Amino acid sequence: MRADLPPRRLIPRWRKSSSTLALPEAASISKTNSIRQLPSQRDRLMHSVGAWKDSPTAGHFGDVLACAVDPDCLPDVTAFAIKAIDDEASMTKPQRAMVNNLLGLAPPSIQSLDVVRLCNENVQRDVKRLRSILRVNPANPLALLDYAQLQVAAGKSRDAERSLRSALTLAPNNRLALRTVARFHVHSHDAAQAHQLLRRHPRTEHDPWLMASEIATASAAGEESVFASRGRRILKEGKFAPAQISELAGAIAGLEMKNGNLKSARNLFRQALLFPNDNVIAQAVTDRQLLGIEVLPDRSTSTTSSSAVEAAALDAWQKREVSSAGSNAMRWHLEEPFSSRPLQFLASVFSVGRLHEEARVLALRGLTADPNDASLTASLAYSLAAEGRLTEAEEAVRRLIQVGGTAYMPYAQATLGLIAMRQGLTDQGDSLYLGAIDAFARAKNFSTEAVCRAYYARAANDTGHPDREKILKAASDAVAKHPSPDGILLLSDLGAKEILGTTKEPGRRLYQWVLDPVANALIRREGVTEPGAPALVIEHRNSDRRNDN
């Protein structure tokens, strides 16, 4: 059984090298200097089309395609794609696959993704560009930060650490440098060192971006945050522009959610989503079911571009739109080839879709950058077992137990169950799967328990288990009670059609539009609504009535 994506934490993520200076945290935190609306997706589309006309390269072509995540831009992007095909424009194989899906020229299947060549051209281009910069100016801290991220993607962690150490020495008080180095320590499974770096730095107590990172790294290290209380005060004081406290609000919302204070978390997410960055949007999409909120589309497309790809992938998966989830996840990976999360997500999509070879390739790619990634190791073990490569699968399970520890023992147990069943050891397979299911239940991880039952049902079906109908029924009952895209899609593949009608409770909105018919005005009302509240409210006013008597 492959592992679910680990919980999202608001830790600064590796970015594609061309965007370092464009990051919102690179701007001043002065309120007067920061209150400005970031470019809309349509502005980005017009700019990208113009850049492509001036220089019709595959890179500029990809920038135009990225705007297709906004429904308002989709018709223009489609028209652009048609003209590009007519003109035989230069494009990469992944871009060709996106265009084909966009125009309906290929079946909407995740099998259209070019897994083997995923992101390689982008990385090679960026490495070449950064090397040329560093040859001219080897003391450029921002270029060193970006170069370190690409070194991580190539599995050169020691080289990356040297680059980061140099960057931090050159710019010891630089916010981007501090956040990037902290992220590297988390990536290297040393969250405590990341937390110490941010907790002790004198700039952190005055900088909401660094406070957000300190809160996140404290959570990752299992330690108490030093700046959470101060962060709450900053959010109430209103001294910073909304764009500068977005991630801080999201980090504290995560703490409130962890403590069970969902009402407070909803209000904090409302504040975070006023000017969200990609971390905030992705967290809101990931946790919206737990919070019972609806993330309104204009928040996830108009203020940031890279966030829209990740959020669109997560949103499509929750809606069980497999092709869209896969396509957006591929673009997410292209933008962040050094991050493990898009690879973890794609491996999950492929595993559910029985594309085990593709899942194995992706897992191996991610493990090149981080050999100790337990989630990707679990995906590798499952894909090998599903392919029938049982000796290699057993070795991967042993590796999973080594790097994942107790937390990943149920995943290892379930995969060993699949291996046993494929070897014809039905009773042993049953015992292992049921042990994993019981472990998830005891941990109150009921959604994962239901998914594990669904994988058990798949294994029983594929190996001709004599009790496969009974196992399928138990899995259907569990998924109906604790629905998830993975569980529903797995059982749909086995013919359990009745669970597809599963519905979720209506969500709360973080704001509403109010139409005043007398003033003929549309006003936005901020605040968390009751569940199922409409997006648009028409205000009714009692008018004075004349007495005709």
Side-chain angles (χ1 to χ4, degrees):
M1 176 188 169
R2 60 97 197 152
D4 291 334
L5 281 173
R8 158 168 290 281
R9 298 187 180 99
L10 288 177
I11 299 172
R13 302 180 304 164
W14 303 119
R15 308 292 187 124
K16 59 181 179 179
S17 58
S18 60
S19 63
T20 299
L21 287 176
L23 297 178
E25 57 263 45
S28 166
I29 58 175
S30 164
K31 187 169 184 178
T32 56
N33 291 339
S34 300
I35 302 180
R36 63 182 182 88
Q37 181 69 35
L38 296 177
S40 70
Q41 197 73 289
R42 178 156 294 280
D43 292 336
R44 295 179 189 277
L45 174 60
M46 295 300 102
H47 175 78
S48 299
V49 170
W52 180 85
K53 287 180 178 178
D54 293 338
S55 177
T57 63
H60 288 141
F61 187 81
D63 290 339
V64 177
L65 289 182
C67 297
V69 297
D70 188 337
D72 292 337
C73 296
L74 185 58
D76 292 330
V77 175
T78 302
F80 169 84
I82 293 172
K83 187 177 187 308
I85 287 181
D86 291 341
D87 294 344
E88 298 182 350
S90 173
M91 63 184 77
T92 64
K93 287 186 178 180
Q95 288 171 351
R96 172 71 66 177
M98 292 181 207
V99 169
N100 287 343
N101 282 329
L102 191 66
L103 303 180
L105 301 178
S109 168
I110 54 178
Q111 297 187 42
S112 64
L113 304 183
D114 187 348
V115 176
V116 175
R117 294 177 58 81
L118 214 58
C119 92
N120 289 350
E121 293 178 0
N122 283 12
V123 172
Q124 291 170 4
R125 183 192 66 236
D126 287 343
V127 166
K128 183 178 179 180
R129 183 178 63 82
L130 286 166
R131 281 177 175 168
S132 66
I133 293 173
L134 290 169
R135 275 196 297 270
V136 176
N137 181 12
N140 184 325
L142 296 181
L144 283 167
L145 291 177
D146 289 335
Y147 192 51
Q149 296 174 33
L150 297 173
Q151 289 173 314
V152 168
K156 299 179 179 179
S157 294
R158 290 185 179 180
D159 293 340
E161 187 173 8
R162 282 195 292 270
S163 298
L164 291 171
R165 194 182 301 120
S166 298
L168 193 58
T169 300
L170 291 165
N173 296 313
N174 183 277
R175 180 193 303 139
L176 289 172
L178 288 164
R179 281 164 59 88
T180 304
V181 171
R183 179 63 184 91
F184 173 79
H185 289 315
V186 174
H187 170 87
S188 303
H189 306 279
D190 193 353
Q193 186 172 351
H195 182 226
Q196 281 198 6
L197 171 68
L198 297 168
R199 178 173 63 85
R200 294 176 176 177
H201 199 279
R203 179 172 177 172
T204 304
E205 64 177 320
H206 307 292
D207 191 314
W209 291 99
L210 294 179
M211 283 185 197
S213 297
E214 188 274 333
I215 293 168
T217 54
S219 177
E223 300 173 0
E224 288 293 324
S225 168
V226 174
F227 292 104
S229 297
R230 179 167 175 77
R232 287 185 173 90
R233 290 197 299 272
I234 284 176
L235 295 179
K236 292 179 181 178
E237 289 170 355
K239 293 182 179 179
F240 292 97
Q244 299 300 329
I245 58 173
S246 172
E247 192 161 306
L248 178 60
I252 295 177
L255 289 179
E256 294 297 303
M257 192 163 49
K258 182 179 178 180
N259 294 330
N261 302 324
L262 297 185
K263 181 178 180 180
S264 176
R266 291 188 197 105
N267 281 305
L268 286 164
F269 268 118
R270 181 185 62 77
Q271 188 173 2
L273 288 166
L274 289 173
F275 285 89
N277 67 354
D278 50 0
N279 275 329
V280 169
I281 290 178
Q283 186 188 23
V285 171
T286 301
D287 295 324
R288 67 181 178 185
Q289 186 171 353
L290 176 62
L291 290 166
I293 61 173
E294 296 290 345
V295 182
L296 300 181
D298 63 308
R299 288 302 186 202
S300 63
T301 55
S302 63
T303 59
T304 180
S305 59
S306 62
S307 64
V309 180
E310 179 181 354
L314 297 171
D315 183 62
W317 187 240
Q318 290 182 7
K319 294 175 180 176
R320 306 193 298 277
E321 297 170 356
V322 179
S323 178
S324 177
S327 297
N328 281 295
M330 182 185 72
R331 283 189 280 181
W332 177 14
H333 176 46
L334 289 171
E335 290 189 359
E336 299 182 27
F338 13 72
S339 172
S340 63
R341 276 188 61 83
L343 291 173
Q344 291 165 353
F345 182 84
L346 277 166
S348 297
V349 173
F350 285 133
S351 294
V352 170
R354 291 183 181 271
L355 299 176
H356 304 302
E357 180 182 0
E358 290 84 346
R360 172 172 52 82
V361 169
L362 287 170
L364 287 170
R365 172 166 293 152
L367 289 169
T368 298
D370 183 2
N372 295 322
D373 190 306
S375 179
L376 287 173
T377 305
S379 293
L380 174 63
Y382 174 78
S383 62
L384 287 167
E387 285 184 279
R389 301 168 64 162
L390 304 185
T391 302
E392 295 172 80
E394 289 175 343
E395 177 60 32
V397 169
R398 286 192 289 272
R399 177 64 180 164
L400 174 60
I401 294 170
Q402 180 184 356
V403 301
T406 305
Y408 278 84
M409 279 299 297
Y411 296 100
Q413 201 169 359
T415 302
L416 289 173
L418 172 60
I419 293 171
M421 292 175 74
R422 290 186 69 93
Q423 292 173 330
L425 305 174
T426 303
D427 291 343
Q428 184 179 336
D430 288 341
S431 177
L432 287 163
Y433 261 117
L434 291 173
I437 289 166
D438 181 62
F440 289 127
R442 282 187 282 107
K444 300 188 184 303
N445 195 347
F446 299 118
S447 178
T448 306
E449 176 204 351
V451 172
C452 188
R453 286 187 179 276
Y455 273 106
Y456 180 27
R458 171 187 277 186
N461 178 79
D462 293 352
T463 59
H465 195 295
D467 293 330
R468 56 185 177 274
E469 294 298 330
K470 178 181 175 182
I471 295 169
L472 178 60
K473 177 63 168 61
S476 298
D477 291 343
V479 172
K481 189 174 181 180
H482 300 285
S484 67
D486 305 56
I488 292 172
L489 289 167
L490 284 163
L491 296 187
S492 174
D493 178 55
L494 298 177
K497 302 294 185 182
E498 66 274 9
I499 65 168
L500 293 178
T502 304
T503 58
K504 65 181 181 67
E505 293 296 321
R508 301 172 187 266
R509 297 186 181 276
L510 301 180
Y511 64 87
Q512 287 177 298
W513 290 104
V514 180
L515 175 63
D516 185 340
V518 175
N520 193 27
L522 193 62
I523 304 166
R524 197 169 84 174
R525 178 190 295 162
E526 299 288 348
V528 181
T529 70
E530 292 299 315
L536 175 66
V537 176
I538 300 176
E539 190 175 74
H540 297 285
R541 297 185 180 181
N542 293 324
S543 56
D544 293 332
R545 296 184 179 180
R546 294 180 179 178
N547 190 336
D548 294 331
N549 294 333

